[in-house]
Amino acid sequence: MKIQDIIKQRIMILDGALGTMIQDYNLEEKDFRNAELAAHEGQLKGNNDLLNITRPDLILDIHRKYLAAGADFIETNTFSSQYISQADYQLEHLSRPMALQGAKLARQAADEFSTDEWPRFVCGSVGPTNKTCSMSPDVSDAAARDITYDQLFDAYSEQVGALIEGGVDAILIETIFDTLNAKAAIDASVSEMQKQGLDLPIMLSMTVSDLAGRTLSGQTIEGFLASISSYPIFSVGLNCSFGADQMKPFLKELANKAPYYISAYPNAGLPNTMGQYDETAESMSPQIAEFIDEGLVNIIGGCCGTDDKFIANYAALAKGKKPHVVINKPTTLWLSGLEMLNVTPEVNFVNVGERCNVAGSKKFLRLIKEGQYDEALSIARKQVTDGALVLDINMDDGLLDAEKEMTTFLNMIAAEPEIARVPIMIDSSKWEVIIAGLKCVQGKCIVNSISLKEGEEQFIEHARALKRFGAACVVMCFDEKGQATTFERRIEIAERAYHILTQKVGMNPLDIIFDPNILAIATGIEEHNNYAQEFIRSIAWIRNNLPGTHISGGVSNLSFSFRGNNYIREAMHAVFLYHAIKEGMDFGIVNPASKITYSDIPVDELAIIEDVILNRKPNAAEALIDLANKKKEEEEQRKAGLAGGDTSTLKQEEEEWRNLELTERLKYALRKGIGDHLDEDLHLALEIYPHAVDIIEGPLMAGMNEVGELFGAGKMFLPQVVKTARTMKQAVAILQPYIEKEKKVGATKAGKVILATVKGDVHDIGKNIVAVVMACNNYEVIDLGVMVPADQIIKKAIEEKADIIGLSGLITPSLEEMINVAQEMEKARLNIPIMIGGATTSQLHVALKIAPVYGGPVVWMKDASQNSLAAARLLNKNEEQTYVNELNDKYESLRAGYQDKQHKLLSLEEARKNRLNLFDD
C-alpha cells in the first residue's frame, strides 16, 4: 500500500526526536570520528548527521526503537546534511555522503519492520539550514543577505538527490522559519524528482516563532499557505517551537484553512531554564489526544524532547480514530506578502500600486538612481497606507542595472513589515530581472508579464519557470503577430494562452491574470476610439469562457492623450473602472491616492466622458478635448490668481462644499477623506450637539454609512474607503478629550466589554469607534487589538468576568473565525453575549452560521451607534429575556426564509427537464 492510500484510512504515526535519543547514548568526540576524520581540526561532537557515517549502528538502533513503538514514518538523520550547514564543521565534502547514508540506514530499518499489512515509510528530512534568505545579517544594511536562493537551491538539490538515491518514500521539509528557504527546497525537490522520473510526496512542516502565529521571517500561517498554494504539496504541519498546548490554536487554524493532509509533531512542552523538556510521555498524551479526537491531524509525532515512549503512547491513542478530513482546495486566488490576500468576490477590485515604477514615476527613478532607497521605500509605504493591495515594482531603465536594483529594493522591502505585508508584482520586460526578483520574495507574488510574442516555445518555458517559484502571472494579449487591439484578437490570444497554460504547463487557472491591453483613446486617430469599449467587452468574454482567470491592466494608459490634465485623467480612470469592474475586471495598476470617484463627476461631464469610454458618439473625443481645455484654463487661472496673491478662485472652489449645512459638511469631509477643516467643524458641532459622542453617532456615522453604500455599488474603491476611515479616526481623536471630560468620575460602570478584531484580520477603525461610543455610555472597555486568537479572547473574558464580547472583522475570512470563536466559547461553557460587527458581517450570516453554534445571545450590529443600545437591553434583567426572544424569532425567520429560497432552486438535472422543446410533437 502507498502512503496516499493509507492516510485516507487512518491517522499515521511519525517518529520522535533523533537528537533526544542520541543524547541518551552519552557520546564522546571519538564517536563522531573515523579514520578519515581522525586528524580533522575542530570539534565534531554535536554534528549528529555525521553519525550516519561514523556510528551507523547507533542510528539504526534509534530507527528500530521508533518502528517498534509503532511509527509508520521514520525520518532520516539528515536534518543538516547539506553543505551550507556542514560548512560550520568544514565538512562540506561529506554532506552528500551523509544524506545518502542517512537514507540507506532508514530504508534498511523500515524494510526490516515492513509487511504487506503494515508497510513502513521513510521521510527524507530536509532542515531549513542555519541561514535565511529573507532577512539581513547586518542591522545597518537591510539589503544584505548571508545566502542566495541559488546557493540554497544547489545545496538542497545535492541533499534531495542523495535522499532519493538512498530510497526515501517522501521528502519532509521541516522546521520552516523562512518561506523563501522552503521554496528553494521545494524547487530542488521537484527538480530532482523530475530528473529521476519520480513523484514522491512533498511534506512541509513550519515552525511558529511567537504567540502571534508568525514564522521567524514574519509570515502568518495564512500567508505561508498562500506562498505554497501553487506547489504540489502532500501535507502541511507544525513542529518544534511549542509544546502541544501552545501549538493547538495554530494547528486548528492550519486544519481549517490548509487543503492538505495535516501533520503535527510538537516538542515535549516548552524548554525550562536549563534547556530541558519537562513533559513526559504520560503528561503529553492527553494533549495529543485532543489533536486526535478533535479531528485536527492525519499525521502525529514528536519533536524536541520526545522519544520512543512518547511515540508508543501516541500510536495507542490514534488507533481506530478517524483522521482529519482535508478541506477543499480554494476556488479563489491566494496571494501573499507577510499576510494573505484572498481575492474573493467581496474584494471586488485589487488595486496594484503603480508608483514604484521607474518608467512611470520620475521621482522614483531619481531616488533609485541616486541610491536614496529609504526615501524610495517611503513611496512604497505610502501606497500601502493609501490602500494598495499589491505593489508593482519596475526597475527597467536604460541607465540602471535593473537586475541589481530589483534585488536590492525587494530585499529592503522584506525588512519593512508595513510594506512587506502585501504581495509584490514583479514587473519587467527583461526575463532575467523577473527571475532575480522571484528569488527574493517569500510570499506568493505576481509576475508582470509573459506573452506569446516570442512564440509558443518560449511562452511555455517562461510559464514553467513561474511554476518553479509558485507565482501567479499576468498574461499580455500579444502573440507572434503583435499586440491585440480588437475584441476578436484579444479573445483569440487569451483563449490560446489559456489552453497552453492549463493543458501543457499544468498551471492553475486561478493563477492566470489576463491583460487584454488598455490602450490610449481620444487620440485623434479614429481606429483608437473603440479601444476602451472593446477592452470592456473582452473582459466579460474572458471571465465567462476561461474559468478561474482574472483581468488586469495599466489604467493610466487609457488617458495618455491627456497628460498634464490630472482632473480629466482621473475622471476617465474612474469612469472606465466603474464599467470595467462591472464586467469582471478585478485587478488594475492604478494610483491608490487617486481622489476622484465616479459619483464625484458632474452629470454633464460624466456624459461626455462616458461617450468617449463607451464610444457612443462619433464626435465624443472632440467634446472631451473641449472639456479638457476648459478644465486646463480653469486650473491655469487658479494658479495665476494664487501666484498674484488672489486666493478668490481657491476660496470659490472650497465654498462649493464649505457652504453646505454643518452636518452635510461633516459627511462630505468623511466621504472625500478631507481632514483640513475637521477641527473647525467639529468644534462648531460641539456647540450644537449636547454630547461629543452624539456627533460620532450622528453625522459622522451617517457619512461612514454613505461610504459603505458607495463602495457596495462600485462607485468607490478600497483606497478611497481607507482614506475615509483615516479621516474618521482623525475626527474621533479630536473629539476624544471632550468625551473623556464628559465621563462622570466615580460613576458606576454599566458593564465590562471586551472588544477584539478576530485572528487573521488587521482592521480596527470600526472597532475603535465602538470602543469610544461604549466608553461614552459608561462601559468599561478592554480592547485586545487586532489579530486576536479565540483562546486569548476566552481567557481574557474569564479573567475579567466580562459582560459582553464584541467581535470585529472587515475581510471575508473573518466570518469563519467568528464562527470559530463562538464554537470555542461554547466549548468553554460560556454564556456571555457576543456582538458581531464589521463590513462583511450580516444578520443573515449570524442567523445561519454563528447563533446556531453558541448557547448565549449573539447580536449583529449594523453600525457603532447600536452597540450601547443593545448592551443596555442585554444587561438589564427585566429586558434581557425579551430581547433574546426577539433575536431568536428574527433568526428563525431569516433561516426559514433562506431555506425556502434554497428549496425553490431546482437542481441542474431538474432544470434541464423543464427546458423549452420546440422540435418534438
Side-chain angles (χ1 to χ4, degrees):
M1 292 177 73
K2 293 182 177 180
I3 298 169
Q4 293 90 330
D5 300 320
I6 298 171
I7 202 162
K8 293 173 185 174
Q9 300 168 11
R10 62 179 176 83
I11 295 170
M12 299 184 76
I13 306 301
L14 182 68
D15 63 6
L18 276 161
T20 302
M21 295 281 275
I22 288 169
Q23 286 174 16
D24 291 342
Y25 289 81
N26 297 312
L27 301 182
E28 300 176 7
E29 180 69 22
K30 64 181 180 182
D31 292 295
F32 293 84
R33 295 180 182 268
N34 56 15
E36 181 188 346
L37 297 170
H40 188 83
E41 292 184 4
Q43 180 178 306
L44 296 180
K45 184 181 177 182
N47 186 1
N48 289 343
D49 292 21
L50 186 55
L51 296 171
N52 296 336
I53 296 171
T54 63
R55 288 295 307 273
D57 59 313
L58 183 150
I59 300 301
L60 264 175
D61 191 40
I62 293 172
H63 287 326
R64 287 167 179 152
K65 285 179 180 177
Y66 278 127
L67 289 162
D72 296 295
F73 296 106
I74 53 170
E75 289 190 54
T76 57
N77 181 39
T78 58
F79 187 82
S80 299
S81 297
Q82 27 64 27
Y83 62 73
I84 294 166
S85 297
Q86 290 305 318
D88 288 350
Y89 298 94
Q90 293 80 50
L91 293 179
E92 297 96 316
H93 64 290
L94 288 182
S95 58
R96 192 179 195 283
M98 284 182 205
L100 180 60
Q101 181 68 0
K104 286 180 175 179
L105 291 171
R107 180 79 274 154
Q108 178 185 334
D111 288 347
E112 289 174 10
F113 280 77
S114 195
T115 64
D116 290 341
E117 295 75 27
W118 190 0
R120 310 298 183 99
F121 302 100
V122 176
C123 295
S125 170
V126 178
T129 80
N130 51 5
K131 298 187 185 297
T132 166
C133 244
S134 294
M135 293 181 284
S136 171
D138 183 352
V139 293
S140 62
D141 183 3
R145 291 294 182 270
D146 252 347
I147 196 162
T148 67
Y149 183 96
D150 289 336
Q151 289 170 323
L152 272 172
F153 176 81
D154 291 344
Y156 281 137
S157 294
E158 181 185 78
Q159 181 184 16
V160 173
L163 291 172
I164 293 173
E165 184 182 333
V168 301
D169 300 296
I171 302 297
L172 174 55
I173 301 165
E174 59 182 335
T175 321
I176 296 167
F177 62 77
D178 180 349
T179 310
L180 189 53
N181 286 36
K183 287 166 82 171
I186 297 167
D187 187 8
S189 299
V190 172
S191 175
E192 289 302 310
M193 282 189 253
Q194 287 173 346
K195 286 179 189 175
Q196 302 193 38
L198 294 172
D199 184 18
L200 303 179
I202 297 176
M203 305 163 71
L204 305 181
S205 186
M206 64 185 295
T207 186
V208 173
S209 64
D210 57 37
L211 290 174
R214 291 180 183 263
T215 61
L216 187 65
S217 59
Q219 243 190 351
T220 63
I221 290 173
E222 279 192 334
F224 173 79
L225 290 174
S227 294
I228 64 167
S229 62
S230 297
Y231 292 113
I233 303 303
F234 176 74
S235 69
V236 171
L238 295 168
N239 77 291
C240 207
S241 199
F242 293 135
D245 192 39
Q246 296 84 8
M247 181 184 283
K248 186 180 176 184
F250 306 116
L251 183 64
K252 285 186 68 175
E253 180 180 358
L254 198 63
N256 288 333
K257 294 173 181 175
Y260 314 104
Y261 296 108
I262 302 296
S263 66
Y265 46 116
N267 294 342
L270 294 170
N272 58 30
T273 54
M274 301 299 293
Q276 302 299 310
Y277 294 90
D278 296 327
E279 293 273 13
T280 64
E282 289 69 31
S283 66
M284 276 279 283
S285 291
Q287 299 168 47
I288 297 299
E290 289 183 18
F291 290 6
I292 294 168
D293 294 340
E294 293 180 27
L296 300 179
V297 291
N298 303 97
I299 302 166
I300 191 75
C303 200
C304 305
T306 63
D307 58 20
D308 53 327
K309 300 182 192 69
F310 285 76
I311 300 309
N313 280 12
Y314 298 173
L317 289 168
K319 196 168 184 178
K321 297 295 177 69
K322 290 183 179 179
H324 166 72
V325 177
V326 179
I327 67 167
N328 294 328
K329 291 190 174 181
T331 56
T332 53
L333 170 59
W334 286 3
L335 300 168
S336 64
L338 295 180
E339 298 167 11
M340 179 193 282
L341 171 61
N342 186 3
V343 187
T344 63
E346 291 83 0
V347 172
N348 190 34
F349 180 71
V350 176
N351 52 299
V352 182
E354 66 175 359
R355 308 311 295 167
C356 292
N357 183 331
V358 297
S361 169
K362 289 181 181 178
K363 180 179 179 181
F364 186 72
L365 173 60
R366 175 179 61 79
L367 294 171
I368 296 298
K369 279 184 174 178
E370 295 173 358
Q372 300 293 323
Y373 295 114
D374 286 340
E375 197 173 340
L377 285 170
S378 70
I379 292 175
R381 190 179 296 106
K382 186 175 188 307
Q383 287 186 98
V384 176
T385 303
D386 284 339
L389 299 180
V390 174
L391 273 183
D392 180 85
I393 312 292
N394 183 300
M395 296 292 178
D396 288 359
D397 182 84
L399 299 178
L400 288 176
D401 181 343
E403 191 173 337
K404 172 179 169 291
E405 297 296 353
M406 180 67 79
T407 300
T408 299
F409 197 64
L410 289 177
N411 282 350
M412 294 191 76
I413 281 177
E416 300 284 338
E418 291 176 2
I419 307 171
R421 67 181 180 82
V422 304
I424 298 296
M425 179 179 279
I426 300 170
D427 185 355
S428 181
S429 58
K430 301 173 183 177
W431 188 245
E432 63 274 15
V433 175
I434 286 173
I435 294 298
L438 286 167
K439 292 174 180 177
C440 299
V441 181
Q442 68 170 323
K444 180 175 177 180
C445 59
I446 304 169
V447 163
N448 188 8
S449 60
I450 61 172
S451 77
L452 285 157
K453 185 164 54 175
E454 301 298 330
E456 196 167 303
E457 185 178 343
Q458 188 185 83
F459 182 67
I460 291 172
E461 180 188 324
H462 285 176
R464 284 180 174 152
L466 298 185
K467 279 195 73 185
R468 271 188 63 200
F469 296 97
C473 66
V474 173
V475 180
M476 299 295 297
C477 284
F478 278 80
D479 65 4
E480 300 89 339
K481 298 175 188 174
Q483 184 179 47
T485 59
T486 65
F487 168 76
E488 291 75 19
R489 285 274 293 141
R490 284 178 167 106
I491 67 170
E492 173 199 341
I493 295 171
E495 185 172 31
R496 179 185 169 202
Y498 180 82
H499 291 306
I500 292 169
L501 292 173
T502 56
Q503 294 171 16
K504 293 186 179 181
V505 178
M507 187 174 282
N508 186 337
L510 295 170
D511 289 339
I512 302 170
I513 305 167
F514 282 110
D515 184 340
N517 306 323
I518 298 176
L519 303 169
I521 57 173
T523 62
I525 301 171
E526 189 174 345
E527 53 263 37
H528 295 182
N529 292 347
N530 221 29
Y531 280 171
Q533 191 273 338
E534 295 216 328
F535 180 97
I536 292 168
R537 186 179 163 206
S538 71
I539 295 170
W541 190 93
I542 291 170
R543 294 302 296 266
N544 290 331
N545 293 277
L546 308 178
T549 60
H550 305 269
I551 304 289
S552 183
V555 178
S556 61
N557 295 341
L558 181 83
S559 61
F560 189 74
S561 302
F562 296 89
R563 293 187 314 281
N565 194 323
N566 285 341
Y567 174 83
I568 291 295
R569 295 196 74 176
E570 288 194 13
M572 287 176 73
H573 300 165
V575 172
F576 174 80
L577 285 171
Y578 175 72
H579 291 284
I581 290 169
K582 281 206 296 186
E583 293 300 320
M585 180 176 175
D586 52 355
F587 280 78
I589 302 176
V590 298
N591 181 359
S594 177
K595 296 174 184 175
I596 297 173
T597 67
Y598 182 86
S599 58
D600 290 331
I601 304 168
V603 174
D604 56 335
E605 294 178 9
L606 182 61
I608 293 170
I609 296 168
E610 286 193 322
D611 285 344
V612 172
I613 301 291
L614 303 176
N615 196 21
R616 295 191 299 204
K617 292 181 180 177
N619 63 342
E622 287 79 3
L624 182 59
I625 291 167
D626 290 342
L627 175 62
N629 288 333
K630 178 186 169 188
K631 290 289 181 183
K632 191 76 173 173
E633 287 173 13
E634 289 173 359
E635 178 65 12
E636 287 172 356
Q637 287 171 9
R638 188 182 76 87
K639 286 180 179 177
L642 288 173
D646 179 9
T647 59
S648 60
T649 308
L650 185 62
K651 286 178 181 175
Q652 186 179 345
E653 287 179 7
E654 282 190 359
E655 284 169 6
E656 288 183 15
W657 73 274
R658 293 300 299 153
N659 285 333
L660 294 171
E661 187 266 329
L662 178 61
T663 57
E664 292 301 315
R665 289 205 304 271
L666 287 169
K667 285 164 63 178
Y668 182 90
L670 271 186
R671 185 168 67 80
K672 297 291 289 178
I674 301 171
D676 300 351
H677 303 278
L678 273 179
D679 194 271
E680 174 190 345
D681 285 348
L682 288 171
H683 279 89
L684 287 173
L686 285 166
E687 296 174 10
I688 298 170
Y689 288 85
H691 303 289
V693 72
D694 296 337
I695 303 170
I696 295 174
E697 293 181 336
L700 295 183
M701 197 58 66
M704 290 301 285
N705 290 339
E706 191 177 323
V707 168
E709 289 167 11
L710 290 169
F711 180 62
K715 295 179 181 179
M716 284 183 80
F717 306 115
L718 193 59
Q720 293 152 340
V721 174
V722 170
K723 191 176 180 183
T724 65
R726 285 203 306 271
T727 308
M728 180 66 162
K729 195 171 185 179
Q730 185 181 344
V732 171
I734 292 168
L735 293 172
Q736 189 71 46
Y738 299 93
I739 290 168
E740 294 296 327
K741 196 182 294 182
E742 289 173 1
K743 289 181 182 177
K744 295 176 182 176
V745 179
T748 304
K749 292 295 181 183
K752 189 178 289 188
V753 180
I754 286 178
L755 297 180
T757 300
V758 295
K759 185 169 177 58
D761 202 323
V762 298
H763 301 91
D764 66 352
I765 289 175
K767 172 182 65 63
N768 294 346
I769 293 167
V770 170
V772 170
V773 172
M774 294 295 281
C776 290
N777 284 276
N778 213 31
Y779 289 89
E780 181 183 346
V781 177
I782 300 168
D783 189 343
L784 301 184
V786 300
M787 295 278 289
V788 188
D791 61 323
Q792 289 184 26
I793 295 170
I794 292 167
K795 183 181 177 184
K796 197 69 175 176
I798 294 170
E799 283 177 3
E800 296 289 343
K801 296 183 173 59
D803 297 301
I804 291 172
I805 292 175
L807 303 179
S808 175
L810 178 70
I811 57 178
T812 304
S814 298
L815 299 177
E816 289 299 315
E817 182 58 24
M818 288 174 178
I819 298 169
N820 176 54
V821 174
Q823 289 172 330
E824 291 303 306
M825 287 177 65
E826 180 70 13
K827 286 179 188 174
R829 299 181 180 178
L830 297 180
N831 200 45
I832 304 168
I834 302 174
M835 290 179 168
I836 300 289
T840 55
T841 63
S842 69
Q843 194 170 35
L844 180 61
H845 182 266
V846 168
L848 293 174
K849 300 287 188 179
I850 304 179
V853 302
Y854 184 56
V858 185
V859 194
W860 176 66
M861 299 287 98
K862 185 178 180 182
D863 60 51
S865 63
Q866 295 185 347
N867 288 73
S868 57
L869 300 174
R873 295 192 70 186
L874 287 167
L875 301 184
N876 183 324
K877 290 181 180 178
N878 297 325
E879 280 274 333
E880 180 187 10
Q881 194 54 52
T882 303
Y883 187 38
V884 169
N885 291 341
E886 288 172 9
L887 289 171
N888 290 339
D889 291 345
K890 179 65 178 177
Y891 294 159
E892 190 56 45
S893 172
L894 287 168
R895 285 191 283 266
Y898 179 80
Q899 290 299 327
D900 188 46
K901 282 183 182 178
Q902 298 310 299
H903 290 150
K904 288 177 182 176
L905 292 173
L906 297 176
S907 68
L908 179 60
E909 187 178 340
E910 290 172 333
R912 283 174 173 163
K913 288 178 185 176
N914 295 336
R915 71 184 183 273
L916 181 63
N917 194 329
L918 299 174
F919 304 104
D920 293 343
D921 293 332

